[in-house]
Amino acid sequence: MLEIEEVSIHFGNNPEVVSDATFTVNGGDRLAVIGETGSGKSVLLLAVLGLLPASARITGSIQLNGRELLGCRERELNQIRGKEIAYIPQGSGNGLNPLYTVGHQLCETIQKHRHCTRKEALLQAAALLESFGLEHGESLCRSYPFQLSGGMRQRVLIAMGIAAGAELVLADEPTKGLDRRRITLVEDAFHRLGERTLLCVTHDLRFAKDISSRVIVMYASQQIECGDSRSFFEEPLHPYSRAMLAALPEHGLHATMGFAPPRRDKDARRACRVYERCPWRSERCRKAPPLLAVGERKVRCWKYAD
Amino acid sequence: MLIEVQGMSKRYRPRGPLVVEEISFAIDQGETLAIFGDSGSGKSTIGQILAGIYPATAGEIRLDGQKISYPLRGHARRQIQILFQHPEVAFNPRLRLIDSMREPYRLFRLPYTRQGLCDYLERYGIYEEHLERFPAELSGGELQRLALARAMLIEPSFLVLDEPTSMLDVISQAQIIHLLREIQQERQMGYLFISHDRVLCERFCTSICLLKGGRLEDPWRKSDA
């Protein structure tokens, strides 16, 4: 469904924020892209949506059902966004306009992509909200965003994202800033997406484990590991992935990775990007490793080269 | 007892509802009390009253047995510090971080040298190069470590930790918790840890209280389990 090939993104003359991203999202896949803040996850999502600022230079190819998205005109992209690709922004509520009711905002999306009256759109909006576990859809349509809790707002955003019937759903940190109870509600809403294809960016590992079938780990703008979700969470391969799982409270809050250096000099830029922080580093790691195949999975670490 | 809170209540408007009601707890040196609950249950209000950001409507707070009142002054102001959920708002966005870090030296008349500050920040994983940047140029984890370093500069005995890791990735979270544990062991500090993550509270704290609808349930001690 979505093919991303050797996509690199730069802003001005700064180092790349996404470097050679290559992966495919097949129909029905539920792919979680995980990694720390600033690893390039969200920028990659914006690139798929064609929403990067003019200062961004992007190379490579992004194809949706065989159609190249890079270089598409704004008018074509407007037809694709919403109708073919849904976007769910972060859950802090910034994705909703505070001056309009939830119903108004949902109807706007529905009427933009489907020919129907306002009344029909409102009925569809209420039904859609109820399908995501929000009770009393009609009265909820009359509410303003400030009258809803964080978890409700996030579920409204999910409903709004798919209101136009898109099959590919992109979600950007949908659980950020929510408490555990509300995250559970959002997880439930994601399970209700059914057969839709999902590409979700998150740094919440528990959430990623719950909703995904495949995982990509990004670090310092590079993909460092990809594979199916179950084997990743049972036995991560890359030392950074291992450190992430060991740092989870339920696994003992172990801080096994050192602090990131403030800047990388020329020699360091030629090395593996995790070099300074890696507990396994060796002389070989002074050269950047390629993405190596380990069975069905891929990992960017020299340890798996032999 | 390092901190004792007795019958603390808070309403934000004169006839408004009580946000927290009859809260009582005590934290000794070397102890970490977790207040755990959903968003909107009043957790941050308790932390901000203790840190002297708001006055309580009723009740009293004692530090080392001495009653303290709003606004915090002198000894109490120095002994109680707070770490916020959003580290980016804890620093002035228009100041380079070196200037923000100089503020506690000026306010509390500490002897300042640039080299001394850089040496001090080493254990927090912050380097001289970071200090020349603006807050927006650092990651959330780096900024939160810097915020912790700034709070610790004046050697407080009690820290309010208001969801200090909820916006961070898991590795940054583990680094902050590791630093907090080390500091607590060295200086026998008391912590009030506010969080909505029960598993994290169980791992990090000596006792846990559930805050529900503004009321605090009895603390659950890890050592009793």
Side-chain angles (χ1 to χ4, degrees), chain B residues 136-149:
Chain B
E137 295 173 89
L138 260 63
S139 73
E142 286 165 342
L143 267 187
Q144 195 62 292
R145 296 202 303 269
L146 195 60
L148 174 62

Side-chain angles (χ1 to χ4, degrees), chain B residues 9-215:
Chain B
S9 299
K10 172 73 183 171
R11 63 175 96 239
Y12 284 104
R13 283 172 286 122
R15 286 190 192 85
L18 281 173
V19 182
V20 289
E21 208 174 335
E22 291 285 321
I23 300 288
S24 301
F25 59 83
I27 302 171
D28 209 351
Q29 287 186 330
E31 270 188 2
T32 305
L33 171 74
I35 292 188
F36 143 81
D38 287 340
S39 305
S41 57
K43 308 186 295 290
S44 294
T45 299
I46 297 176
Q48 290 175 2
I49 292 171
L50 280 181
I53 295 172
Y54 308 118
T57 308
E60 63 176 45
I61 304 168
R62 290 179 181 272
L63 171 70
D64 292 324
Q66 300 289 313
K67 194 175 163 187
I68 56 171
S69 58
Y70 174 86
L72 296 184
R73 292 191 198 281
H75 178 70
R77 187 173 173 209
R78 198 168 174 146
Q79 291 304 309
I80 303 175
Q81 292 295 312
I82 184 167
L83 210 56
F84 293 103
Q85 179 180 14
H86 297 275
E88 63 279 11
V89 298
F91 291 93
N92 185 335
R94 293 182 179 189
L95 287 185
R96 285 185 196 278
L97 291 161
I98 181 86
D99 298 320
S100 288
M101 288 304 289
R102 286 185 69 164
E103 279 180 341
Y105 283 95
R106 191 169 46 79
L107 285 169
F108 294 94
R109 298 198 178 98
L110 304 172
Y112 169 81
T113 62
R114 190 180 168 102
Q115 192 53 46
L117 175 63
C118 292
D119 293 345
Y120 166 77
L121 290 175
E122 211 169 285
R123 82 175 293 187
Y124 296 92
I126 301 294
Y127 307 99
E128 194 167 4
E129 210 175 319
H130 286 123
L131 295 176
E132 288 305 324
R133 299 184 190 167
F134 290 96
E137 295 173 89
L138 260 63
S139 73
E142 286 165 342
L143 267 187
Q144 195 62 292
R145 296 202 303 269
L146 195 60
L148 174 62
R150 186 174 60 177
M152 290 308 301
L153 251 178
I154 51 172
E155 301 185 341
S157 57
F158 180 69
L159 265 187
V160 176
L161 305 164
D162 188 359
E163 305 206 43
T165 62
S166 68
M167 302 306 279
L168 307 181
D169 61 88
V170 280
I171 291 184
S172 301
Q173 169 173 275
Q175 286 171 338
I176 293 277
I177 297 290
H178 183 71
L179 278 168
L180 287 168
R181 278 180 176 153
E182 268 185 7
I183 293 167
Q184 191 172 44
Q185 272 169 14
E186 282 165 23
R187 303 180 30 83
Q188 285 301 300
M189 287 188 57
Y191 294 148
L192 174 70
F193 188 73
I194 294 165
S195 177
H196 58 68
D197 188 334
R198 176 144 203 159
V199 187
L200 179 60
C201 291
E202 284 171 2
R203 279 279 168 182
F204 177 53
C205 304
T206 37
S207 37
I208 301 170
C209 287
L210 174 67
L211 185 70
K212 213 171 176 182
R215 284 179 172 271

Side-chain angles (χ1 to χ4, degrees), chain A residues 58-69:
Chain A
I58 175 162
T59 56
S61 159
I62 300 177
Q63 292 192 2
L64 177 69
N65 295 322
R67 181 158 46 146
E68 181 61 51
L69 296 183

